[in-house]
Amino acid sequence: MSRFHVSITPEPDFQSSTTNKAHSQQSSTLPLSKPSYASGHLNMSNSHNKYSVLLPTYNERDNLPIITWLLAKTFKEHNLDYEIIIIDDASPDGTLEVAKQLQSVYGENHIVLRPRAGKLGLGTAYIHGIQNATGNFVIIMDADMSHHPKAIPEFIRKQKERDYDIVTGTRYVNGGGVYGWDLRRKLTSRGANFIADLLLSPGVSDLTGSFRLYKKDVLHQIINATISKGYVFQMEMMVRAKQFNFSVAEVPITFVDRVYGESKLGANEIVGYLKGLWTLFTSI
Amino acid sequence: MTRAQRIGAFAVIAGSVWVLGMLGWLPLSETVQGEVWPALPLLVLVLLGAYAFINIGYNLLVFRECPEAYYELMQEVQEAKDDLRAKNVDIA
């Protein structure tokens, strides 16, 4: 869990301007071809899928170049059309400057900068990002390298299997895992998922994770319906997805806790999580 | 109806049935009435607790560590830094 969604300030009421688009219209263009596993590469040459990665950043100067490099490498290796949309909330550490340098390395078609004036929160960052996304799929991940782009080809492969609306990464199934967590952190994570599962039964094993692939219109519809902030935000998106009957598939991911900077999980975060959970429980 | 309301409604109904049984308004045998019925709420609590304990405990036990992902990442970070420096990106 990146520090980004730990300290999220109240944000404007963005869901009031809901535009519920039917998500069915674009799925017809997606081929259901079975990918060839032999080469380890995805054969995408006959399709027109484009993947937009949304990277909301706040003080990620050290991480951003590397995650961008890894993303570009992965997409290039698998011959995928992509763009990386960097939504920087006026980081004081110069994240935007380094993003501009990356843009000149990888090109304006691959690196899109959509900075904002201040720290406005994760939900609006995604809205802002989607509005600027030209891909038909959107990938959401943390910019702190706890999510590794190597999982993206797996997400895409899984998505094509049954034309899933959402593919979500999970640390908790076979093949997944974490690095850099002590027992307390693991227990908290397990307990948090258990309570959420008991109260909301969302049908997803990793509720608090945030490494996901969405069809763009699906993400738009879900995000417009989502009201939570902070930790609960990712969880509510899954609950809403279930409410809308979107199909969700899971792919195991490895999670390496922040290498640069520290990840924060204190009593405040736990209380915030429980409060958010309760709000969801009593409103859904 | 929200999830909280549904679960709350279920709890109210279950509780009412239990109270009715305690008051002797249900056709229960004498042993059930005297020995099983009074212990039911406690039993439910204990079962719920055991379920939580086993669920969390089991999942904690099978929680996989992935040091290999860490070492792979560290190697790639170095590669990325070298490559990006050569392309004039400011890397710490």
Side-chain angles (χ1 to χ4, degrees), chain A residues 231-249:
Chain A
Y231 271 135
V232 202
F233 179 77
Q234 304 292 353
M235 187 165 70
E236 183 178 351
M237 294 229 286
M238 282 295 101
V239 177
R240 297 286 177 196
K242 189 189 172 198
Q243 225 177 14
F244 289 133
N245 276 325
F246 289 131
S247 55
V248 183

Side-chain angles (χ1 to χ4, degrees), chain B residues 1 3-17 44:
Chain B
M1 214 156 55
R3 272 190 75 86
Q5 284 166 336
R6 259 177 287 158
I7 292 178
F10 175 78
V12 167
I13 291 168
S16 310
V17 171
V44 168

Side-chain angles (χ1 to χ4, degrees), chain B residues 8-89:
Chain B
F10 175 78
V12 167
I13 291 168
S16 310
V17 171
W18 181 74
V19 169
L20 288 181
M22 285 305 283
L23 294 173
W25 294 1
L26 297 181
L28 303 169
S29 76
E30 209 162 298
T31 14
V32 172
Q33 174 86 41
E35 288 168 32
V36 179
W37 211 253
L40 273 182
L42 186 67
L43 185 72
V44 168
L45 272 182
V46 168
L47 282 178
L48 197 66
Y51 173 60
F53 183 80
I54 291 169
N55 185 304
I56 295 175
Y58 172 76
N59 283 316
L60 210 51
L61 279 179
V62 299
F63 210 141
R64 199 175 76 87
E65 293 268 352
C66 53
E68 75 286 350
Y70 173 75
Y71 296 116
E72 185 193 346
L73 179 65
M74 285 303 100
Q75 209 176 334
E76 284 171 322
V77 166
Q78 201 49 52
E79 232 176 286
K81 280 181 171 176
D82 294 343
D83 187 40
L84 288 168
R85 269 197 201 103
K87 289 172 178 158
N88 292 322
V89 177

Side-chain angles (χ1 to χ4, degrees), chain A residues 228-272:
Chain A
S228 307
K229 315 270 184 287
Y231 271 135
V232 202
F233 179 77
Q234 304 292 353
M235 187 165 70
E236 183 178 351
M237 294 229 286
M238 282 295 101
V239 177
R240 297 286 177 196
K242 189 189 172 198
Q243 225 177 14
F244 289 133
N245 276 325
F246 289 131
S247 55
V248 183
E250 290 192 305
V251 165
I253 55 163
T254 53
F255 181 96
V256 176
D257 207 6
R258 285 185 74 94
V259 182
Y260 299 110
E262 56 184 86
S263 78
K264 212 175 139 210
L265 182 75
N268 282 343
E269 280 74 36
I270 295 173
V271 170

Side-chain angles (χ1 to χ4, degrees), chain A residues 136-202:
Chain A
N136 52 339
F137 287 96
V138 175
I139 293 161
I140 280 178
M141 64 192 295
D142 292 345
D144 63 4
M145 293 191 288
S146 51
H147 297 148
H148 197 295
K150 70 186 172 191
I152 290 175
E154 295 302 320
F155 280 35
I156 293 170
R157 194 169 287 159
K158 190 73 180 177
Q159 193 281 326
K160 284 167 167 271
E161 263 177 31
R162 289 202 187 149
D163 193 27
Y164 289 109
D165 295 315
I166 303 166
V167 178
T168 178
T170 174
R171 296 162 285 191
Y172 301 133
V173 301
N174 203 9
V178 297
Y179 177 84
W181 281 10
D182 57 10
L183 187 64
R184 180 184 161 273
R185 187 76 173 77
K186 284 183 187 169
L187 183 64
T188 312
S189 172
R190 261 356 209 134
N193 265 281
F194 173 77
I195 299 170
D197 205 40
L198 196 68
L199 294 185
L200 304 171
S201 44

Side-chain angles (χ1 to χ4, degrees), chain A:
Chain A
M1 181 91 36
S2 98
R3 152 177 278 173
F4 191 87
H5 24 116
V6 173
S7 50
I8 284 165
T9 47
E11 48 194 79
D13 186 25
F14 57 84
Q15 64 276 10
S16 54
S17 59
T18 307
T19 49
N20 267 356
K21 278 192 246 168
H23 80 284
S24 51
Q25 63 205 34
Q26 45 86 275
S27 56
S28 56
T29 57
L30 303 170
L32 266 166
S33 61
K34 192 111 179 142
S36 73
Y37 290 86
S39 65
H41 286 231
L42 299 169
N43 186 7
M44 309 287 287
S45 50
N46 56 350
S47 64
H48 304 285
N49 291 326
K50 182 172 179 180
Y51 298 89
S52 302
V53 181
L54 302 190
L55 282 185
T57 57
Y58 188 77
N59 286 348
E60 298 287 2
R61 193 203 159 82
D62 293 334
N63 290 316
L64 185 63
I66 297 164
I67 192 73
T68 305
W69 187 87
L70 288 170
L71 280 165
K73 185 179 167 224
T74 305
F75 284 123
K76 208 177 161 203
E77 271 175 9
H78 292 88
N79 200 19
L80 298 161
D81 192 10
Y82 76 100
E83 65 182 357
I84 302 167
I85 301 176
I86 298 167
I87 305 130
D88 185 60
D89 279 7
S91 304
D93 75 340
T95 304
L96 190 58
E97 276 66 52
V98 89
K100 281 176 184 158
Q101 295 175 0
L102 291 166
Q103 196 177 34
S104 63
V105 172
Y106 293 102
E108 286 184 17
N109 56 332
H110 285 148
I111 310 285
V112 181
L113 306 181
R114 290 289 176 264
R116 301 193 296 174
K119 223 174 169 186
L120 297 170
L122 200 59
T124 53
Y126 289 151
I127 295 270
H128 189 69
I130 301 172
Q131 280 162 355
N132 290 286
T134 60
N136 52 339
F137 287 96
V138 175
I139 293 161
I140 280 178
M141 64 192 295
D142 292 345
D144 63 4
M145 293 191 288
S146 51
H147 297 148
H148 197 295
K150 70 186 172 191
I152 290 175
E154 295 302 320
F155 280 35
I156 293 170
R157 194 169 287 159
K158 190 73 180 177
Q159 193 281 326
K160 284 167 167 271
E161 263 177 31
R162 289 202 187 149
D163 193 27
Y164 289 109
D165 295 315
I166 303 166
V167 178
T168 178
T170 174
R171 296 162 285 191
Y172 301 133
V173 301
N174 203 9
V178 297
Y179 177 84
W181 281 10
D182 57 10
L183 187 64
R184 180 184 161 273
R185 187 76 173 77
K186 284 183 187 169
L187 183 64
T188 312
S189 172
R190 261 356 209 134
N193 265 281
F194 173 77
I195 299 170
D197 205 40
L198 196 68
L199 294 185
L200 304 171
S201 44
V204 180
S205 67
D206 192 348
L207 264 182
T208 48
S210 52
F211 192 1
R212 292 176 188 149
L213 169 78
Y214 293 87
K215 287 179 182 167
K216 184 162 76 177
D217 290 352
V218 168
L219 177 60
H220 201 251
Q221 194 179 335
I222 290 174
I223 237 167
N224 275 325
T226 301
I227 49 179
S228 307
K229 315 270 184 287
Y231 271 135
V232 202
F233 179 77
Q234 304 292 353
M235 187 165 70
E236 183 178 351
M237 294 229 286
M238 282 295 101
V239 177
R240 297 286 177 196
K242 189 189 172 198
Q243 225 177 14
F244 289 133
N245 276 325
F246 289 131
S247 55
V248 183
E250 290 192 305
V251 165
I253 55 163
T254 53
F255 181 96
V256 176
D257 207 6
R258 285 185 74 94
V259 182
Y260 299 110
E262 56 184 86
S263 78
K264 212 175 139 210
L265 182 75
N268 282 343
E269 280 74 36
I270 295 173
V271 170
Y273 175 83
L274 291 176
K275 273 186 188 165
L277 196 59
W278 184 256
T279 309
L280 268 186
F281 181 56
T282 52
S283 65
I284 284 181

